[in-house]
Amino acid sequence: MPDPRERDLGWLAAIVLVSLNLRAVITSVPPLAVDLRADLHLGAVATGALTTVPVACMGLFAPVAAAATRWLRESTVLSAGVALIVVGAGARGFGGVVGLFLATALAGVGIAVVGTLLPGLVRARSPHRVGPVTGIYTAALIGGALIASSLAEPVRAWLGVATQRSLAFWALPAAVALGIWLVVARRLNASRAADPTGPVGRAVVANSHRLPWRDSSAWLGTGFMAVQSLLFYGTLAWLPVSTMDHGMSARNAGLLLGLFTLTQVVTAFVVPALAHRTGDTRAWVAVTLCTTTVSLLLVALIPYAFPGAPWLWGALLGLGMGGHFALALATITQLAPSAAQAPAYSGMAFLFGYGVAAVGPVLLGFLAEASGGYRVPFLTLTGLGVVALALGVAATGRARLARARPAPDADRGIPVAG
C-alpha cells in the first residue's frame, strides 16, 4: 500500500504542474503581439482583446465550475478544465483570426474551471495547511506566467514556424499536466471508494454549489479579490507603458515587467507560509497591501526620483502583489463553511474579481487619455490600494473566526444529508 506521504507529494506535484499552465495561455501572447498584428492584420483593440478575453472568461465561467460539482466529482471537473486548456492552447495555432479568438476563449473557460476548483481541493486535502499549499500553487501559477512570457519568442524562433502556429506549443506542458493529474485523480477516487468517510471521501452539503449571495463574509472576500485583482491587472497594463512614456526602451520595459513578475513568485510562496506560522493573516495582508499602495504612490509621484527608481518600484510592487494575491485565494477558501462549499465561494469571488480586472485597465486608459499622463491612473490605483487594505483585513478577520469554529462534518469527510 502506498505511503500516505508519497500520495500527498504526488498530489501536490500534480497541483503544481496544473498551476504552471493557468496563465501561460495569456502571457505567451504579448511578446508576440507585434508579429501577430502584422500577420493577421489585427488592430490595437483586437490585439488587446487577446489578453482580456481569457480574463473575462475566467470570471464569467467560474460559477459554472462551481455548479458542475453538483453532478460530478471535483477531480473530474478539474480534469475537464485542464483538457479545455490543452485543446484551446493547441487550437490557437490554427484557423486565422476566428480560430485564434475562439480557442483563446476556450482556454479561458478551462482556466476558470481549474482556478475555481483548486481552492476547495486544497482545503479538502490539506485542511490544516491551506495557506502554505495555496502559496505553493500560487507561486507556480505566477512562475508559469513568467516562463511563458520569457520563452514565447525563443520558442517561436526555435520552431521556425509562423507566429500563430507557435502559440500551439503551449498545449504541450498543459497536456503533460493533464496526464499526471489523471493518474493522481484516479488514485484519489480509488481511495475515496475504499473509504468514503475518510479525509478524501466525497462530502455532500446541501446547496453547496449555489453562490453565497446572502453571506456577508463571502462579499468581503469577493471585494478583497476584486480590488486586489484590479491593482494587479492595472499595473500589468500600464507600468511598462508609463515607463516608456518617460523614455525607457521597449526592451527594458519588458525586463521591468519580468522583474515585477519574478518578485511576485517569492512572496506568493513565502508570505502564506509565514502567515500560517504566525497564526494571524491580517498582519501580512496589511504588510503586503501597504507595500503595494506605497509603491503605486511612488510610481505616480516620483517615477524617476533617482537612477534605477523604476526598477525598485517595480520590484516592490511585485513583492506586495504576489503576497496579497496568495492571501486572497487562501482567505476565500477559509471563509467557506466547508471544503464542499469552497468552489461556490471561489466562483463568486472570481466572477466579480476577474470581471473587474477585465474592464479596469480600460477605464484606467480613459483616465490616462483624459489627464494627458499616467499620474492620475496610478493615484487612482493608490486609492484602491487603501480600499483593498480595508477589505482584506476585514475578510481575513472573518476567516480567522471561521477557523476558530469546530470543523463541519463536510471537512471531516462525513456526508451531510440535504
Side-chain angles (χ1 to χ4, degrees):
M1 184 175 181
D3 190 318
R5 288 174 296 182
E6 292 180 2
R7 291 201 301 268
D8 286 342
L9 287 175
W11 173 83
L12 184 58
I15 290 295
V16 167
L17 287 173
V18 168
S19 299
L20 283 168
N21 292 278
L22 293 185
R23 295 295 183 272
V25 171
I26 300 173
T27 60
S28 59
V29 170
L32 305 175
V34 173
D35 290 335
L36 284 172
R37 287 185 65 178
D39 294 347
L40 300 176
H41 308 291
L42 298 175
V45 174
T47 305
L50 288 173
T51 301
T52 58
V53 163
V55 176
C57 289
M58 285 158 59
L60 291 173
F61 287 90
V64 176
T69 61
R70 180 181 181 182
W71 299 284
L72 300 169
R73 287 194 176 108
E74 290 87 347
S75 59
T76 302
V77 180
L78 189 139
S79 299
V82 181
L84 288 176
I85 296 174
V86 174
V87 174
R92 291 186 305 166
F94 308 93
V97 175
V98 174
L100 177 60
F101 275 92
L102 288 178
T104 297
L106 185 65
V109 175
I111 294 170
V113 171
V114 177
T116 301
L117 297 186
L118 275 181
L121 287 169
V122 167
R123 177 167 168 178
R125 185 74 180 182
S126 304
H128 303 298
R129 294 188 59 81
V130 169
V133 176
T134 300
I136 291 171
Y137 86 72
T138 305
L141 181 153
I142 299 170
L146 178 61
I147 292 169
S149 62
S150 302
L151 296 184
E153 174 54 32
V155 163
R156 186 203 63 77
W158 174 64
L159 292 174
V161 297
T163 303
Q164 183 179 4
R165 291 284 191 274
S166 71
L167 291 174
F169 169 85
W170 299 101
L172 295 179
V176 171
L178 175 60
I180 293 176
W181 171 254
L182 288 173
V183 172
V184 170
R186 188 179 300 114
R187 291 176 179 174
L188 287 176
N189 292 338
S191 298
R192 183 179 288 118
D195 184 12
T197 64
V200 294
R202 177 171 174 79
V204 181
V205 178
N207 300 324
S208 63
H209 62 284
R210 293 183 181 177
L211 300 189
W213 301 114
R214 298 182 180 181
D215 188 337
S216 60
S217 295
W219 279 110
L220 280 175
T222 295
F224 179 28
M225 173 59 74
V227 181
Q228 72 88 34
S229 295
L230 177 53
L231 295 178
F232 169 72
Y233 282 99
T235 301
L236 182 69
W238 295 109
L239 181 64
V241 177
S242 67
T243 55
M244 286 190 288
D245 191 60
H246 284 88
M248 182 178 281
S249 67
R251 176 181 177 275
N252 283 341
L255 292 174
L256 175 63
L257 201 57
L259 176 64
F260 168 67
T261 306
L262 181 62
T263 52
Q264 289 176 59
V265 177
V266 176
T267 47
F269 180 75
V270 172
V271 168
L274 292 174
H276 176 77
R277 178 170 296 182
T278 60
D280 190 355
T281 306
R282 292 173 296 180
W284 293 100
V285 167
V287 168
T288 54
L289 274 163
C290 283
T291 301
T292 293
T293 302
V294 171
S295 301
L296 288 167
L297 183 63
L298 294 171
V299 171
L301 299 181
I302 48 173
Y304 277 84
F306 53 86
W311 301 93
L312 178 58
W313 307 157
L316 289 173
L317 281 167
L319 289 172
M321 291 187 182
H324 57 67
F325 175 47
L327 292 175
L329 290 175
T331 298
I332 292 166
T333 304
Q334 293 165 336
L335 285 170
S338 70
Q341 291 168 290
Y345 278 66
S346 299
M348 179 171 160
F350 294 162
L351 172 63
F352 288 94
Y354 291 121
V356 169
V359 302
V362 178
L363 298 178
L364 291 171
F366 284 124
L367 287 178
E369 289 183 359
S371 63
Y374 298 98
R375 175 166 293 183
V376 171
F378 278 100
L379 285 175
T380 302
L381 287 173
T382 301
L384 290 171
V386 176
V387 174
L389 174 60
L391 290 169
V393 170
T396 50
R398 291 283 187 92
R400 190 182 188 192
L401 292 175
R403 292 197 304 273
R405 291 194 292 267
D409 287 344
D411 273 2
R412 297 196 295 269
I414 302 173
V416 178

